[in-house]
Amino acid sequence: MASQTHDSAAPTLEELQRWTWVIGRAQQLMLEHGVETMLKVAETPPPGGALAAASLAPVPLAMPGLGGMGDAAALARAAGDFWMDALKLWTCALGGGLAGEAGGAPPARADRRFDAPEWRDHPTYDLIRQMYLLIGDHLLRGVDLIEGVEPQEREKLRFATRTMMDALSPSNFVFTNPLVMKKTLETGGENLLRGLEHLLKDLRQGQLSHVAPGAFELGKNLATTPGKVVKRTRLYELIQYAPTTTEVLETPLVIFPPWINRFYILDLSPKKSFIRWAVDQGLTVFVVSWKSADASMRDVTWDDYVAAQIDAVDTIRDLLGVRGVHTIGYCVAGTTLAATLAVLAARGEADKVASATFFTAQVDFSRAGDLKLFVDDDQLKMLEGLAPEGYFDGRYMAATFNLLRGRDLIWNYVVNNYLLGEDYPQFDLLHWNGDTTNLPAAWHRAYLADLYRDNKLVVPKALTVLGQPVDLRQVQTPAYVQAGREDHIAPPESVWKITDHFAGPLRFVLAGSGHIAGVVNPPSAGKYQYWTNANKAGSLAEFVAGATETPGSWWPDWIGWIEDRSRDKVSAKRARIPGKGALPALADAPGDYVRQR
């Protein structure tokens, strides 16, 4: 039932009745939620249950001391600049129009929050927009004027300022967002009621929703590549996929996805699936599906994940009777793969791995980006209180990653879900993004402290794994290193630094887009591009300066590199078919661990 637009200021009886119903229903929903919350608090909360009331709040940052605040003259000039810009803005507005960005606000830039034409065509909204951008610009400039602050603390303050400004954007509030106001008047406030329902549901589950519940189901419209679980340990399931070609490359492939996410990021819909595509290229593909941590894994350390990678490699070698396997490590699993290669090299067993591919993986964390802001002593101490049963609830990690791109992954959905009351999009990638996994707490803290904070992995023999001092300089395994140009989790400058530490032949590829879309980019999509450079480069900037750009996906470049390592083929039969070799099929892909919470 749509409301009508009236010229008179007085609402009709029908409109009054509708608003009365909307307000009454909103009060009822909030009352029900309050009662439900109080009843849950009265009971013994489940592990991680405290998230239900707090998970939508930004992850707290340890704020730096402000030292001497800054040079007085510089601060005075900054204050004067702000008020002069503000005066110009108001003078222009009162004079009959803002004329684009002439009022002193920062130059216009691509900002999807203000795409609606009303943000520029309507004088009031235009003034609100420009004043907001002006304040944000001057606040960020003011961070650089603060004296007595270490560079790391200054970056924290800059990040906190950006986060605060993102939260305070006028697009996030009903009365200062023209689209929300229009929708509210058109629906008689029913959009806000639907938004309240969405908000209360998210509070109950302790996580921001990106897609509608039940839109996707593993094995039905996600993770559908045919295969079998052929091994199960307390830490992982090993999935072998069915061949689609009569012959396959003799050297198989095993993929190690990050245990902070579900493996099916590489097996979304059939058209997006890297796993399905790799099988179609004639590879015998195995994937490790990590178990989401629970209290039984409180003693798990990095050694266990390295041992699991070696165990998976040995299992595949024995099953297929091959000397070595190709490996892929994605994100944190790529970091671990680097340590695995170093351990094997120290043992004299480097030939177990024929090649190593790294998807957006870091080994040198000196330029690891904004995530380094979350690994100081205060943050690590805070984490200790979040894992009383020995595991770290994955929703906290998801909130941290979302905060790194707050505009896109938090506030965009606050506006769409809570203010506009829109239906959730049916997007498989967003479903995966919300499908969180728990992490072993002891290992997670050690990972943040030893790698992100102290950067020990690149210090020869500073870390010992499985009794072997780790020295990346011993790694001579051929490596293919992929980075995402717009990656905010593993910045390309950070991924590039792997080239400073490995001793073997290495091919570096810079892909368009970011941490996910830069990897999950099938050739059929015809999207993005990638850059290669056959000449030796001393830095990423030097690599880019001499690079050749190729439109589309980098996947064909990778399979060509793989085939150059091992072109021998064998028939796709016996042990090459899941469950037909020495390892019986335990379950259909995608297995059981991927479904556990």
Side-chain angles (χ1 to χ4, degrees):
M1 182 170 61
S3 66
Q4 304 298 316
T5 301
H6 301 276
D7 295 331
S8 63
T12 67
L13 177 60
E14 180 184 8
E15 288 172 333
L16 285 173
Q17 289 174 333
R18 171 173 295 165
W19 279 106
T20 300
W21 176 81
V22 166
I23 294 171
R25 177 59 178 150
Q27 290 174 335
Q28 179 185 356
L29 287 171
M30 295 175 71
L31 178 61
E32 291 173 352
H33 177 73
V35 171
E36 179 182 324
T37 302
M38 287 188 292
L39 290 175
K40 286 185 177 180
V41 170
E43 301 171 355
T44 302
L51 275 171
S55 66
L56 295 180
V59 176
L61 291 174
M63 298 307 298
L66 298 183
M69 288 301 297
D71 176 68
L75 289 173
R77 286 194 300 272
D81 289 344
F82 170 74
W83 288 113
M84 285 299 295
D85 286 344
L87 180 61
K88 291 177 184 178
L89 185 61
W90 279 96
T91 300
C92 189
L94 294 173
L98 292 174
E101 305 295 337
R109 59 188 183 275
D111 193 333
R112 291 186 297 174
R113 296 175 298 176
F114 305 116
D115 277 349
E118 290 88 347
W119 286 111
R120 285 171 174 79
D121 296 343
H122 193 289
T124 300
Y125 289 119
D126 195 12
L127 177 62
I128 291 171
R129 174 183 65 88
Q130 292 208 50
M131 182 57 74
Y132 163 76
L133 294 175
L134 178 68
I135 292 172
D137 180 66
H138 279 271
L139 281 175
L140 286 171
R141 279 194 269 167
V143 171
D144 294 326
L145 299 177
I146 300 173
E147 292 182 341
V149 177
E150 295 296 325
Q152 176 81 354
E153 298 300 301
R154 191 181 304 279
E155 285 303 314
K156 283 184 184 179
L157 186 55
R158 186 176 288 111
F159 179 84
T161 302
R162 288 198 306 267
T163 301
M164 178 188 70
M165 290 307 300
D166 285 346
L168 295 177
S169 170
S171 60
N172 298 337
F173 300 94
V174 175
F175 295 109
T176 52
N177 186 322
L179 293 182
V180 176
M181 285 297 295
K182 181 179 179 181
K183 187 74 171 285
T184 302
L185 293 174
E186 287 177 348
T187 66
E190 291 183 20
N191 59 303
L192 299 178
L193 183 60
R194 289 195 301 272
L196 179 60
E197 292 173 342
H198 292 163
L199 172 62
L200 296 181
K201 179 180 68 66
D202 286 352
L203 287 172
R204 291 187 188 100
Q205 70 179 13
Q207 186 177 357
L208 180 67
S209 295
H210 290 145
V211 296
F216 296 97
E217 184 179 350
L218 294 175
K220 298 295 184 181
N221 52 4
L222 287 176
T224 60
T225 303
K228 304 287 185 182
V229 175
V230 295
K231 184 173 184 175
R232 182 179 292 120
T233 74
R234 79 172 186 129
L235 206 57
Y236 75 92
E237 289 182 332
L238 183 65
I239 302 172
Q240 180 181 4
Y241 290 92
T244 58
T245 55
T246 57
E247 289 189 322
V248 293
L249 291 174
E250 181 180 25
T251 305
L253 168 70
V254 59
I255 301 173
F256 300 111
W259 48 85
I260 59 177
N261 299 112
R262 306 291 180 176
F263 83 87
Y264 64 87
I265 183 58
L266 297 176
D267 191 24
L268 293 171
S269 64
K271 291 183 179 180
K272 297 178 183 177
S273 173
F274 177 85
I275 292 172
R276 185 181 293 262
W277 180 86
V279 169
D280 289 342
Q281 305 313 303
L283 282 166
T284 303
V285 178
F286 294 80
V287 171
V288 163
S289 174
W290 302 104
K291 182 180 180 180
S292 181
D294 55 25
S296 69
M297 295 170 61
R298 64 169 56 247
D299 60 332
V300 168
T301 66
W302 199 21
D303 292 45
D304 295 292
Y305 282 101
V306 172
Q309 290 190 342
I310 296 174
D311 181 60
V313 167
D314 286 340
T315 298
I316 296 166
R317 291 174 61 249
D318 292 342
L319 175 66
L320 301 183
V322 295
R323 180 181 181 184
V325 304
H326 297 300
T327 58
I328 292 176
Y330 195 165
C331 190
V332 61
T335 306
T336 306
L337 178 58
T340 296
L341 297 177
V343 169
L344 292 176
R347 291 177 174 177
E349 300 175 347
D351 59 351
K352 289 183 176 182
V353 177
S355 75
T357 296
F358 297 87
F359 290 172
T360 63
Q362 303 170 93
V363 301
D364 187 328
F365 291 80
S366 59
R367 301 190 65 183
D370 284 342
L371 272 176
K372 286 177 68 69
L373 305 178
F374 294 85
V375 292
D376 61 18
D377 291 339
D378 290 329
Q379 295 294 316
L380 295 177
K381 184 176 181 180
M382 181 189 73
L383 289 179
E384 294 178 3
L386 299 179
E389 298 196 24
Y391 67 92
F392 187 67
D393 194 305
R395 289 174 293 181
Y396 283 113
M397 180 61 70
T400 301
F401 284 134
N402 287 345
L403 196 62
L404 295 179
R405 288 181 58 199
R407 288 187 191 180
D408 296 329
L409 296 178
I410 296 178
W411 301 112
N412 177 52
Y413 292 95
V414 166
V415 173
N416 290 334
N417 297 358
Y418 303 156
L419 302 185
L420 292 173
E422 293 181 351
D423 293 334
Y424 293 102
Q426 306 302 304
F427 190 18
D428 50 10
L429 182 58
L430 291 178
H431 173 87
W432 168 85
N433 188 61
D435 192 1
T436 59
T437 58
N438 303 328
L439 310 175
W443 154 229
H444 184 61
R445 286 194 296 269
Y447 171 77
L448 294 177
D450 292 343
L451 304 185
Y452 264 96
R453 187 189 65 186
D454 300 336
N455 203 22
K456 290 182 178 179
L457 182 57
V458 294
V459 179
K461 302 182 180 181
L463 292 175
T464 299
V465 177
L466 298 177
Q468 296 289 344
V470 174
D471 188 347
L472 297 184
R473 299 174 302 177
Q474 296 182 2
V475 176
Q476 299 186 36
T477 304
Y480 187 102
V481 179
Q482 176 269 337
R485 182 180 60 174
E486 301 166 13
D487 196 333
H488 63 289
I489 294 174
E493 295 85 359
S494 186
V495 175
W496 166 265
K497 293 185 73 64
I498 198 172
T499 66
D500 297 334
H501 303 287
F502 284 177
L506 186 148
R507 181 171 179 79
F508 184 88
V509 172
L510 181 64
S513 197
H515 196 70
I516 302 302
V519 173
V520 185
N521 182 28
S524 60
K527 296 176 65 176
Y528 309 125
Q529 67 282 100
Y530 65 95
W531 291 265
T532 55
N533 189 341
N535 299 319
K536 186 174 179 59
S539 67
L540 179 63
E542 187 178 337
F543 170 90
V544 172
T548 299
E549 179 179 340
T550 303
S553 172
W554 54 269
W555 294 6
D557 181 82
W558 173 80
I559 193 64
W561 183 85
I562 288 289
E563 291 173 342
D564 288 343
R565 315 260 82 73
S566 54
R567 292 188 176 274
D568 293 341
K569 294 186 176 182
V570 297
S571 296
K573 56 185 180 182
R574 293 188 287 275
R576 297 283 171 161
I577 300 174
K580 299 300 183 181
L583 296 178
L586 304 179
D588 290 332
D592 297 334
Y593 280 179
V594 73
R595 294 184 168 93
Q596 294 181 2
R597 294 295 171 263

